[in-house]
Amino acid sequence: MNKLNDYADIVGKNYINQLKSLAINLKKKKVIMVNSTKDGGGVAEILHRLVPLLNELGIQTKWETISGDSDFFNTTKNIHNALQGQKICFPREMLEHYLEVNKKNSEKFEFSEDFVFIHDPQPLPIIRHFNKNKSKWIWRCHIDLSKPDLSLWKFLKSYLLQYDASIFSIAKFTRVLPHPQYLVPPSIDPLSDKNKELEKSEIDDVISSFGINSDKPIILQVSRFDRFKGPLGVINAYRMVKKEINCQLILAGGEASDDPEGKIVYDEVRQEAGNDPDIKLLLLKPNSNIEINVLQRIADVIIQNSSKEGFGLVVTEALWKRKPVIGGAVGGITLQIINHQTGFLIHSDEGAAFRIRYLLNRKHISEKMGKLAREYVLNNFLITRHLRDYLSIMIALENKNKHIVQL
Ligand code: UDP
């Protein structure tokens, strides 16, 4: 596992020293992170890195998960969807079960730590079983709350009011709350298998195992087979481009078989692709990190044609590999793509085709934008910035009543 100093080659020694200095203010503090899974998903991926790094900085940090039965997780999935705007009816017993499971989980915690970070809605109401006289409680929300189902929001807010602060990924995801709110965008780990620099032999291995023909320019989208990711629109845009440029399209996404909806979308995409030998659908196994890394590095143009998006980490991953990204102007994509600088924001398949052609025909501009893209991620979306944000928030909460904080 990489140590903090290993990141100095990327962000500079001064940045690492700054993190160490900030952490001095929190020496001997204890932190607990609570979410509902250690495997899969962006939250777990980030915590797997953040927790060891906080410990390395001398802040004793534990990571625990809550458990629940399938009814509980069905309810929390519905809560997640309703908070992001879907109309869903919540019978009383469903929400009572949600509270009950949280109550059961509360028995295994003491929460005597100085900072309690509760991630997302699953463990949100656990706070009501604790007398939080000493600890600072922070709700870390990774989802878009801009248009929630209002009655559900009212129910959850009654528990959220007991927290000392909330953290959201981007400004437009927030709501009015009576406590401090902080904005902390997600981040990627530049040293992970998905993002680290690769040897040529590693790249060649993946190219040959997928049977990719490197002779034609590659247009790539990496994402789950989900309608909101717009895979059919990508094929449409590719076909418009193909009339003028002999290119190929790769759509790569996770095992569709575990998700019935994913399988349906995959079949639709398969059908739309027909027998075009220049469209490759790659069904990726879980943890295909090196594979995704390679695909993003060998692509000539990367697209993320989402019509709805949380943050869209896959965009940051591509920008980090010096690739400008053509992305739907939604959610966190708008924070990552600075139009005409780190990529292009699009609103239609025609727009996507126009920008794909633009980049394929202008390699020098693509490279120039790619350099900016890399720099933008370096300054904004790396795990080290995430770490600095968490340290700063804890220091701010520790000094809540002071006008000046001496660091
Ligand atoms: N990803 C993956 N396998 C896949 C598709 C995506 O590992 O088959 C990764 C992708 O590299 C990124 C994350 O899953 O790290 C997707 O995050 P994003 O925010 O882009 O979209 P989400 O799937 O969370 O809506």
Side-chain angles (χ1 to χ4, degrees):
M1 172 105 29
N2 293 302
K3 295 284 196 193
L4 199 53
N5 284 338
D6 297 330
Y7 294 84
D9 287 343
I10 296 170
V11 296
K13 210 167 173 354
N14 283 348
Y15 200 106
I16 304 299
N17 287 340
Q18 191 192 32
L19 292 175
K20 290 178 183 167
S21 311
L22 280 174
I24 289 169
N25 298 275
L26 296 163
K27 278 265 140 64
K28 300 214 176 79
K29 296 289 176 199
K30 291 188 178 158
V31 173
I32 183 166
M33 302 278 176
V34 181
N35 79 327
S36 60
T37 173
K38 288 219 176 182
D39 328 283
V43 179
E45 189 155 330
I46 288 168
L47 288 177
H48 272 299
R49 250 351 347 253
L50 219 47
V51 171
L53 291 174
L54 283 166
N55 277 303
E56 199 189 324
L57 284 168
I59 301 159
Q60 282 182 52
T61 308
K62 278 199 301 193
W63 174 15
E64 301 287 347
T65 54
I66 58 160
S67 49
D69 55 12
S70 58
D71 282 348
F72 173 76
F73 285 110
N74 281 334
T75 300
T76 56
K77 181 158 189 202
N78 281 328
I79 289 178
H80 180 108
N81 290 338
L83 286 176
Q84 300 219 101
Q86 211 168 308
K87 220 52 246 111
I88 294 172
C89 171
F90 288 92
R92 222 181 69 193
E93 51 288 4
M94 213 167 157
L95 294 178
E96 272 167 8
H97 184 61
Y98 166 66
L99 294 178
E100 192 49 43
V101 170
N102 265 285
K103 180 168 183 220
K104 251 213 176 87
N105 274 287
S106 71
E107 289 159 13
K108 66 178 188 202
F109 294 104
E110 272 187 29
F111 289 135
S112 55
E113 294 78 7
D114 302 278
F115 297 95
V116 180
F117 286 85
I118 301 289
H119 292 256
D120 282 336
Q122 297 91 338
L124 168 61
I126 205 167
I127 190 169
R128 70 195 182 118
H129 303 288
F130 295 90
N131 177 358
K132 56 173 205 78
N133 46 9
K134 166 172 164 284
S135 319
K136 299 274 186 305
W137 284 66
I138 300 127
W139 187 52
R140 194 338 172 187
C141 177
H142 298 266
I143 60 180
D144 179 356
L145 284 191
S146 55
K147 290 191 190 80
D149 175 290
L150 287 177
S151 62
L152 176 69
W153 171 241
K154 196 171 154 202
F155 165 78
L156 291 176
K157 192 174 161 186
S158 63
Y159 304 108
L160 187 50
L161 293 178
Q162 297 168 47
Y163 282 75
D164 296 283
S166 299
I167 303 177
F168 291 93
S169 295
I170 64 178
K172 64 181 163 199
F173 289 2
T174 63
R175 301 209 58 81
V176 175
L177 288 166
H179 57 224
Q181 293 183 56
Y182 299 96
L183 298 179
V184 178
S187 61
I188 58 165
D189 178 1
L191 299 179
S192 69
D193 282 349
K194 199 179 276 171
N195 299 304
K196 67 182 185 186
E197 299 297 322
L198 294 173
E199 299 293 332
K200 183 167 181 314
S201 60
E202 291 174 289
I203 296 179
D204 291 344
D205 284 352
V206 173
I207 291 178
S208 73
S209 75
F210 283 144
I212 294 169
N213 160 13
S214 309
D215 297 347
K216 295 177 189 173
I218 297 171
I219 303 165
L220 171 74
Q221 174 161 299
V222 176
S223 65
R224 293 177 291 107
F225 285 95
D226 177 324
R227 290 198 185 89
F228 289 127
K229 307 280 183 187
L232 297 181
V234 177
I235 294 181
N236 195 16
Y238 150 81
R239 291 212 166 109
M240 294 182 221
V241 174
K242 182 86 175 173
K243 286 182 191 153
E244 288 172 34
I245 302 172
N246 189 12
C247 55
Q248 58 179 319
L249 171 65
I250 299 178
L251 292 170
E255 283 285 40
S257 56
D258 353 358
D259 170 6
E261 177 80 347
K263 173 88 181 72
I264 295 167
V265 177
Y266 176 77
D267 287 342
E268 282 170 16
V269 175
R270 177 79 284 162
Q271 199 169 3
E272 183 59 37
N275 46 18
D276 183 339
D278 285 331
I279 300 183
K280 221 178 207 0
L281 301 190
L282 298 180
L283 261 187
L284 301 176
K285 298 197 180 75
N287 296 320
S288 297
N289 297 326
I290 298 276
E291 288 79 358
I292 291 174
N293 192 343
V294 169
L295 291 171
Q296 290 167 333
R297 284 176 196 279
I298 63 170
D300 293 276
V301 168
I302 296 186
I303 178 160
Q304 188 53 48
N305 188 39
S306 305
S307 57
K308 208 169 191 172
E309 193 58 80
F311 184 72
L313 256 193
V314 79
V315 174
T316 297
E317 292 161 8
L319 298 175
W320 179 242
K321 284 142 199 150
R322 300 183 178 83
K323 301 293 157 97
V325 176
I326 298 170
V330 291
I333 294 180
T334 57
L335 199 69
Q336 302 173 71
I337 296 182
I338 304 173
N339 217 4
H340 296 265
Q341 306 287 323
T342 64
F344 293 106
L345 292 170
I346 47 158
H347 302 85
S348 66
D349 298 348
E350 288 74 14
F354 176 73
R355 288 308 178 190
I356 293 170
R357 273 196 305 265
Y358 181 93
L359 287 176
L360 285 180
N361 284 328
R362 292 168 185 80
K363 270 249 156 322
H364 59 293
I365 294 188
S366 179
E367 274 168 22
K368 212 164 134 195
M369 290 173 80
K371 274 193 197 141
L372 276 179
R374 166 87 172 197
E375 202 179 319
Y376 189 54
V377 174
L378 176 66
N379 291 328
N380 294 285
F381 302 123
L382 293 188
I383 188 84
T384 35
R385 188 239 67 226
H386 212 143
L387 194 55
R388 191 189 59 195
D389 289 349
Y390 271 62
L391 295 172
S392 307
I393 289 171
M394 289 190 274
I395 293 171
L397 289 171
E398 270 293 286
N399 295 282
K400 219 169 160 182
N401 302 321
K402 294 191 191 149
H403 291 303
I404 294 175
V405 182
Q406 198 78 46
L407 292 176

mmCIF file of all heavy atoms in Angstrom, residues 250-283:
data_model
loop_
_atom_site.group_PDB
_atom_site.id
_atom_site.type_symbol
_atom_site.label_atom_id
_atom_site.label_comp_id
_atom_site.label_asym_id
_atom_site.label_seq_id
_atom_site.Cartn_x
_atom_site.Cartn_y
_atom_site.Cartn_z
ATOM 1 N N ILE A 250 -15.365 1.781 -28.710
ATOM 2 C CA ILE A 250 -15.343 0.779 -27.639
ATOM 3 C C ILE A 250 -16.270 1.254 -26.530
ATOM 4 O O ILE A 250 -16.125 2.368 -26.006
ATOM 5 C CB ILE A 250 -13.920 0.581 -27.064
ATOM 6 C CG1 ILE A 250 -12.978 0.080 -28.159
ATOM 7 C CG2 ILE A 250 -13.943 -0.393 -25.888
ATOM 8 C CD1 ILE A 250 -11.530 -0.106 -27.706
ATOM 9 N N LEU A 251 -17.242 0.411 -26.183
ATOM 10 C CA LEU A 251 -18.094 0.682 -25.026
ATOM 11 C C LEU A 251 -17.742 -0.381 -23.997
ATOM 12 O O LEU A 251 -17.936 -1.574 -24.242
ATOM 13 C CB LEU A 251 -19.574 0.572 -25.401
ATOM 14 C CG LEU A 251 -20.123 1.642 -26.346
ATOM 15 C CD1 LEU A 251 -21.517 1.278 -26.822
ATOM 16 C CD2 LEU A 251 -20.158 3.003 -25.644
ATOM 17 N N ALA A 252 -17.193 0.041 -22.868
ATOM 18 C CA ALA A 252 -16.754 -0.937 -21.871
ATOM 19 C C ALA A 252 -17.520 -0.711 -20.579
ATOM 20 O O ALA A 252 -17.658 0.424 -20.116
ATOM 21 C CB ALA A 252 -15.253 -0.777 -21.630
ATOM 22 N N GLY A 253 -18.030 -1.802 -20.021
ATOM 23 C CA GLY A 253 -18.799 -1.652 -18.782
ATOM 24 C C GLY A 253 -18.849 -2.940 -18.004
ATOM 25 O O GLY A 253 -18.533 -4.008 -18.527
ATOM 26 N N GLY A 254 -19.264 -2.806 -16.748
ATOM 27 C CA GLY A 254 -19.232 -3.930 -15.809
ATOM 28 C C GLY A 254 -20.134 -5.088 -16.184
ATOM 29 O O GLY A 254 -21.008 -4.949 -17.029
ATOM 30 N N GLU A 255 -19.866 -6.230 -15.542
ATOM 31 C CA GLU A 255 -20.670 -7.438 -15.724
ATOM 32 C C GLU A 255 -22.146 -7.083 -15.661
ATOM 33 O O GLU A 255 -22.640 -6.702 -14.605
ATOM 34 C CB GLU A 255 -20.422 -8.412 -14.572
ATOM 35 C CG GLU A 255 -19.144 -9.179 -14.617
ATOM 36 C CD GLU A 255 -19.112 -10.315 -15.616
ATOM 37 O OE1 GLU A 255 -19.632 -10.174 -16.755
ATOM 38 O OE2 GLU A 255 -18.556 -11.345 -15.268
ATOM 39 N N ALA A 256 -22.820 -7.208 -16.783
ATOM 40 C CA ALA A 256 -24.240 -6.859 -16.786
ATOM 41 C C ALA A 256 -25.069 -7.901 -16.040
ATOM 42 O O ALA A 256 -26.163 -7.604 -15.583
ATOM 43 C CB ALA A 256 -24.722 -6.736 -18.215
ATOM 44 N N SER A 257 -24.508 -9.111 -15.892
ATOM 45 C CA SER A 257 -25.346 -10.200 -15.385
ATOM 46 C C SER A 257 -25.839 -10.015 -13.942
ATOM 47 O O SER A 257 -26.868 -10.554 -13.572
ATOM 48 C CB SER A 257 -24.606 -11.523 -15.507
ATOM 49 O OG SER A 257 -23.392 -11.403 -14.840
ATOM 50 N N ASP A 258 -25.111 -9.266 -13.094
ATOM 51 C CA ASP A 258 -25.565 -9.130 -11.699
ATOM 52 C C ASP A 258 -26.734 -8.158 -11.583
ATOM 53 O O ASP A 258 -27.317 -8.024 -10.521
ATOM 54 C CB ASP A 258 -24.513 -8.619 -10.705
ATOM 55 C CG ASP A 258 -23.129 -8.483 -11.248
ATOM 56 O OD1 ASP A 258 -22.928 -8.812 -12.419
ATOM 57 O OD2 ASP A 258 -22.265 -8.062 -10.473
ATOM 58 N N ASP A 259 -27.009 -7.426 -12.639
ATOM 59 C CA ASP A 259 -28.000 -6.374 -12.526
ATOM 60 C C ASP A 259 -29.007 -6.557 -13.666
ATOM 61 O O ASP A 259 -28.672 -6.382 -14.822
ATOM 62 C CB ASP A 259 -27.231 -5.034 -12.653
ATOM 63 C CG ASP A 259 -28.158 -3.856 -12.795
ATOM 64 O OD1 ASP A 259 -29.375 -4.054 -12.681
ATOM 65 O OD2 ASP A 259 -27.650 -2.751 -13.037
ATOM 66 N N PRO A 260 -30.251 -6.959 -13.339
ATOM 67 C CA PRO A 260 -31.218 -7.273 -14.391
ATOM 68 C C PRO A 260 -31.410 -6.105 -15.357
ATOM 69 O O PRO A 260 -31.461 -6.291 -16.565
ATOM 70 C CB PRO A 260 -32.515 -7.568 -13.628
ATOM 71 C CG PRO A 260 -32.257 -7.280 -12.194
ATOM 72 C CD PRO A 260 -30.789 -7.112 -11.997
ATOM 73 N N GLU A 261 -31.454 -4.907 -14.832
ATOM 74 C CA GLU A 261 -31.620 -3.719 -15.669
ATOM 75 C C GLU A 261 -30.396 -3.545 -16.588
ATOM 76 O O GLU A 261 -30.529 -3.249 -17.771
ATOM 77 C CB GLU A 261 -31.792 -2.504 -14.726
ATOM 78 C CG GLU A 261 -31.913 -1.166 -15.387
ATOM 79 C CD GLU A 261 -33.296 -0.858 -15.945
ATOM 80 O OE1 GLU A 261 -34.146 -1.772 -16.052
ATOM 81 O OE2 GLU A 261 -33.509 0.309 -16.295
ATOM 82 N N GLY A 262 -29.224 -3.785 -16.031
ATOM 83 C CA GLY A 262 -27.988 -3.666 -16.803
ATOM 84 C C GLY A 262 -27.976 -4.640 -17.974
ATOM 85 O O GLY A 262 -27.545 -4.297 -19.076
ATOM 86 N N LYS A 263 -28.490 -5.831 -17.733
ATOM 87 C CA LYS A 263 -28.508 -6.854 -18.788
ATOM 88 C C LYS A 263 -29.424 -6.393 -19.929
ATOM 89 O O LYS A 263 -29.102 -6.539 -21.112
ATOM 90 C CB LYS A 263 -29.008 -8.166 -18.168
ATOM 91 C CG LYS A 263 -29.251 -9.291 -19.111
ATOM 92 C CD LYS A 263 -27.973 -10.097 -19.317
ATOM 93 C CE LYS A 263 -28.141 -11.252 -20.297
ATOM 94 N NZ LYS A 263 -28.278 -10.873 -21.677
ATOM 95 N N ILE A 264 -30.570 -5.806 -19.563
ATOM 96 C CA ILE A 264 -31.513 -5.328 -20.589
ATOM 97 C C ILE A 264 -30.857 -4.231 -21.428
ATOM 98 O O ILE A 264 -30.897 -4.255 -22.653
ATOM 99 C CB ILE A 264 -32.818 -4.790 -19.919
ATOM 100 C CG1 ILE A 264 -33.541 -5.925 -19.211
ATOM 101 C CG2 ILE A 264 -33.729 -4.121 -20.938
ATOM 102 C CD1 ILE A 264 -34.648 -5.474 -18.267
ATOM 103 N N VAL A 265 -30.210 -3.304 -20.739
ATOM 104 C CA VAL A 265 -29.569 -2.203 -21.470
ATOM 105 C C VAL A 265 -28.436 -2.743 -22.336
ATOM 106 O O VAL A 265 -28.281 -2.345 -23.500
ATOM 107 C CB VAL A 265 -29.058 -1.100 -20.500
ATOM 108 C CG1 VAL A 265 -28.326 -0.001 -21.254
ATOM 109 C CG2 VAL A 265 -30.219 -0.513 -19.706
ATOM 110 N N TYR A 266 -27.677 -3.690 -21.778
ATOM 111 C CA TYR A 266 -26.582 -4.273 -22.569
ATOM 112 C C TYR A 266 -27.134 -4.898 -23.854
ATOM 113 O O TYR A 266 -26.592 -4.703 -24.944
ATOM 114 C CB TYR A 266 -25.834 -5.334 -21.748
ATOM 115 C CG TYR A 266 -24.765 -6.031 -22.541
ATOM 116 C CD1 TYR A 266 -23.547 -5.412 -22.794
ATOM 117 C CD2 TYR A 266 -24.986 -7.298 -23.088
ATOM 118 C CE1 TYR A 266 -22.572 -6.029 -23.554
ATOM 119 C CE2 TYR A 266 -24.018 -7.926 -23.859
ATOM 120 C CZ TYR A 266 -22.813 -7.290 -24.083
ATOM 121 O OH TYR A 266 -21.842 -7.900 -24.857
ATOM 122 N N ASP A 267 -28.260 -5.638 -23.733
ATOM 123 C CA ASP A 267 -28.854 -6.280 -24.919
ATOM 124 C C ASP A 267 -29.317 -5.242 -25.937
ATOM 125 O O ASP A 267 -29.142 -5.424 -27.145
ATOM 126 C CB ASP A 267 -30.022 -7.192 -24.512
ATOM 127 C CG ASP A 267 -29.507 -8.457 -23.828
ATOM 128 O OD1 ASP A 267 -28.303 -8.768 -23.981
ATOM 129 O OD2 ASP A 267 -30.286 -9.117 -23.118
ATOM 130 N N GLU A 268 -29.879 -4.137 -25.428
ATOM 131 C CA GLU A 268 -30.305 -3.062 -26.347
ATOM 132 C C GLU A 268 -29.095 -2.511 -27.103
ATOM 133 O O GLU A 268 -29.158 -2.260 -28.312
ATOM 134 C CB GLU A 268 -30.907 -1.884 -25.560
ATOM 135 C CG GLU A 268 -32.322 -2.104 -25.076
ATOM 136 C CD GLU A 268 -32.758 -0.989 -24.091
ATOM 137 O OE1 GLU A 268 -32.104 0.082 -24.016
ATOM 138 O OE2 GLU A 268 -33.743 -1.224 -23.401
ATOM 139 N N VAL A 269 -28.013 -2.336 -26.372
ATOM 140 C CA VAL A 269 -26.804 -1.778 -26.983
ATOM 141 C C VAL A 269 -26.242 -2.760 -28.009
ATOM 142 O O VAL A 269 -25.866 -2.393 -29.130
ATOM 143 C CB VAL A 269 -25.753 -1.442 -25.898
ATOM 144 C CG1 VAL A 269 -24.443 -0.980 -26.516
ATOM 145 C CG2 VAL A 269 -26.289 -0.372 -24.955
ATOM 146 N N ARG A 270 -26.231 -4.050 -27.609
ATOM 147 C CA ARG A 270 -25.749 -5.109 -28.501
ATOM 148 C C ARG A 270 -26.522 -5.074 -29.819
ATOM 149 O O ARG A 270 -25.975 -5.113 -30.910
ATOM 150 C CB ARG A 270 -25.954 -6.418 -27.758
ATOM 151 C CG ARG A 270 -25.647 -7.747 -28.344
ATOM 152 C CD ARG A 270 -24.209 -8.156 -28.345
ATOM 153 N NE ARG A 270 -23.444 -7.466 -29.396
ATOM 154 C CZ ARG A 270 -22.153 -7.368 -29.435
ATOM 155 N NH1 ARG A 270 -21.435 -7.860 -28.469
ATOM 156 N NH2 ARG A 270 -21.538 -6.772 -30.416
ATOM 157 N N GLN A 271 -27.853 -4.962 -29.667
ATOM 158 C CA GLN A 271 -28.706 -4.972 -30.843
ATOM 159 C C GLN A 271 -28.442 -3.740 -31.731
ATOM 160 O O GLN A 271 -28.327 -3.845 -32.941
ATOM 161 C CB GLN A 271 -30.162 -4.990 -30.403
ATOM 162 C CG GLN A 271 -31.054 -5.452 -31.517
ATOM 163 C CD GLN A 271 -32.459 -5.722 -31.010
ATOM 164 O OE1 GLN A 271 -32.767 -5.508 -29.837
ATOM 165 N NE2 GLN A 271 -33.321 -6.171 -31.883
ATOM 166 N N GLU A 272 -28.303 -2.613 -31.084
ATOM 167 C CA GLU A 272 -28.061 -1.374 -31.826
ATOM 168 C C GLU A 272 -26.712 -1.448 -32.551
ATOM 169 O O GLU A 272 -26.577 -0.958 -33.679
ATOM 170 C CB GLU A 272 -28.100 -0.174 -30.856
ATOM 171 C CG GLU A 272 -27.927 1.183 -31.476
ATOM 172 C CD GLU A 272 -28.990 1.514 -32.538
ATOM 173 O OE1 GLU A 272 -30.162 1.114 -32.341
ATOM 174 O OE2 GLU A 272 -28.628 2.140 -33.561
ATOM 175 N N ALA A 273 -25.732 -2.085 -31.913
ATOM 176 C CA ALA A 273 -24.399 -2.179 -32.526
ATOM 177 C C ALA A 273 -24.446 -3.075 -33.761
ATOM 178 O O ALA A 273 -23.648 -2.914 -34.692
ATOM 179 C CB ALA A 273 -23.402 -2.713 -31.515
ATOM 180 N N GLY A 274 -25.388 -4.026 -33.759
ATOM 181 C CA GLY A 274 -25.537 -4.941 -34.897
ATOM 182 C C GLY A 274 -24.249 -5.695 -35.146
ATOM 183 O O GLY A 274 -23.557 -6.081 -34.208
ATOM 184 N N ASN A 275 -23.891 -5.864 -36.434
ATOM 185 C CA ASN A 275 -22.646 -6.613 -36.669
ATOM 186 C C ASN A 275 -21.542 -5.709 -37.203
ATOM 187 O O ASN A 275 -20.716 -6.133 -37.993
ATOM 188 C CB ASN A 275 -22.892 -7.836 -37.572
ATOM 189 C CG ASN A 275 -23.746 -7.431 -38.754
ATOM 190 O OD1 ASN A 275 -23.834 -6.215 -39.038
ATOM 191 N ND2 ASN A 275 -24.349 -8.390 -39.441
ATOM 192 N N ASP A 276 -21.559 -4.468 -36.741
ATOM 193 C CA ASP A 276 -20.486 -3.548 -37.115
ATOM 194 C C ASP A 276 -19.176 -4.024 -36.464
ATOM 195 O O ASP A 276 -19.059 -4.034 -35.234
ATOM 196 C CB ASP A 276 -20.840 -2.127 -36.616
ATOM 197 C CG ASP A 276 -19.808 -1.091 -37.039
ATOM 198 O OD1 ASP A 276 -18.669 -1.478 -37.337
ATOM 199 O OD2 ASP A 276 -20.157 0.102 -37.060
ATOM 200 N N PRO A 277 -18.200 -4.442 -37.275
ATOM 201 C CA PRO A 277 -16.956 -4.960 -36.674
ATOM 202 C C PRO A 277 -16.160 -3.872 -35.951
ATOM 203 O O PRO A 277 -15.244 -4.179 -35.189
ATOM 204 C CB PRO A 277 -16.184 -5.488 -37.878
ATOM 205 C CG PRO A 277 -16.749 -4.759 -39.050
ATOM 206 C CD PRO A 277 -18.170 -4.418 -38.736
ATOM 207 N N ASP A 278 -16.516 -2.619 -36.181
ATOM 208 C CA ASP A 278 -15.770 -1.542 -35.528
ATOM 209 C C ASP A 278 -16.429 -1.057 -34.236
ATOM 210 O O ASP A 278 -16.027 -0.043 -33.664
ATOM 211 C CB ASP A 278 -15.580 -0.369 -36.501
ATOM 212 C CG ASP A 278 -14.511 -0.701 -37.535
ATOM 213 O OD1 ASP A 278 -13.605 -1.491 -37.198
ATOM 214 O OD2 ASP A 278 -14.604 -0.192 -38.666
ATOM 215 N N ILE A 279 -17.467 -1.754 -33.792
ATOM 216 C CA ILE A 279 -18.007 -1.439 -32.455
ATOM 217 C C ILE A 279 -17.678 -2.625 -31.555
ATOM 218 O O ILE A 279 -18.045 -3.762 -31.840
ATOM 219 C CB ILE A 279 -19.542 -1.242 -32.473
ATOM 220 C CG1 ILE A 279 -19.927 -0.102 -33.408
ATOM 221 C CG2 ILE A 279 -20.044 -0.959 -31.058
ATOM 222 C CD1 ILE A 279 -21.424 0.209 -33.426
ATOM 223 N N LYS A 280 -16.969 -2.329 -30.484
ATOM 224 C CA LYS A 280 -16.585 -3.385 -29.545
ATOM 225 C C LYS A 280 -17.285 -3.151 -28.223
ATOM 226 O O LYS A 280 -17.143 -2.084 -27.626
ATOM 227 C CB LYS A 280 -15.077 -3.306 -29.328
ATOM 228 C CG LYS A 280 -14.424 -4.654 -29.276
ATOM 229 C CD LYS A 280 -12.935 -4.498 -29.121
ATOM 230 C CE LYS A 280 -12.135 -5.645 -29.688
ATOM 231 N NZ LYS A 280 -12.744 -6.748 -30.296
ATOM 232 N N LEU A 281 -18.066 -4.133 -27.775
ATOM 233 C CA LEU A 281 -18.674 -4.029 -26.445
ATOM 234 C C LEU A 281 -17.838 -4.903 -25.525
ATOM 235 O O LEU A 281 -17.721 -6.106 -25.749
ATOM 236 C CB LEU A 281 -20.114 -4.540 -26.459
ATOM 237 C CG LEU A 281 -21.099 -3.845 -27.396
ATOM 238 C CD1 LEU A 281 -22.516 -4.304 -27.102
ATOM 239 C CD2 LEU A 281 -21.007 -2.338 -27.243
ATOM 240 N N LEU A 282 -17.249 -4.307 -24.512
ATOM 241 C CA LEU A 282 -16.417 -5.095 -23.594
ATOM 242 C C LEU A 282 -17.127 -5.214 -22.255
ATOM 243 O O LEU A 282 -17.391 -4.207 -21.590
ATOM 244 C CB LEU A 282 -15.065 -4.402 -23.387
ATOM 245 C CG LEU A 282 -14.187 -4.231 -24.622
ATOM 246 C CD1 LEU A 282 -12.885 -3.519 -24.246
ATOM 247 C CD2 LEU A 282 -13.877 -5.587 -25.248
ATOM 248 N N LEU A 283 -17.438 -6.448 -21.890
ATOM 249 C CA LEU A 283 -18.044 -6.676 -20.573
ATOM 250 C C LEU A 283 -16.912 -6.861 -19.581
ATOM 251 O O LEU A 283 -16.206 -7.866 -19.614
ATOM 252 C CB LEU A 283 -18.884 -7.955 -20.624
ATOM 253 C CG LEU A 283 -20.379 -7.771 -20.820
ATOM 254 C CD1 LEU A 283 -21.100 -9.097 -20.680
ATOM 255 C CD2 LEU A 283 -20.953 -6.761 -19.840
#
